[in-house]
Amino acid sequence: MPKGYWIARVDVRDAEGYKEYVAAAKLAFERFGAKFLARGGAHELAEGVGRARNVVIEFESLAAAHDCYHSPEYQRAVAIRQKVADGEIVLVEGI
């Protein structure tokens, strides 16, 4: 079965508030076996419009990635994140 991935691009407006999001999201990530492949760090904008923070998270399947995003645990974290950051998250099936 192909893995599932979150690709997230984020501009954090409030670094202290973002820490609260990270702590809240951890519950969902642990529940759904998330594996962080990239989490911030150095990056190069090769094309298009970029964001300051780029994250890639691996899950056992696209269904698990979907279930994590839509879980009550993660949706509580979303409410926090949207107050302190702007960004996009795309759920992608691997090959």
Side-chain angles (χ1 to χ4, degrees):
M1 174 183 300
K3 301 275 187 178
Y5 299 89
W6 287 19
I7 301 172
R9 301 170 346 118
V10 180
D11 286 330
V12 176
R13 295 188 314 272
D14 175 354
E16 286 302 311
Y18 197 77
K19 290 177 185 177
E20 186 180 344
Y21 157 73
V22 170
K26 182 178 180 183
L27 299 172
F29 294 146
E30 288 176 349
R31 177 178 170 204
F32 289 94
K35 178 181 177 185
F36 285 81
L37 302 179
R39 192 177 205 172
H43 67 280
E44 175 185 338
L45 177 60
E47 188 174 325
V49 178
R51 295 222 181 242
R53 184 172 177 80
N54 301 282
V55 180
V56 179
I57 309 170
E58 181 181 79
F59 293 86
E60 284 302 313
S61 65
L62 182 58
H66 173 274
D67 291 347
C68 182
Y69 183 83
H70 294 283
S71 70
E73 297 92 340
Y74 191 72
Q75 289 305 301
R76 282 191 288 279
V78 167
I80 297 166
R81 188 193 71 236
Q82 290 178 341
K83 293 176 187 174
V84 299
D86 299 308
E88 304 82 32
I89 297 175
V90 178
L91 310 183
V92 180
E93 185 175 61
I95 53 173

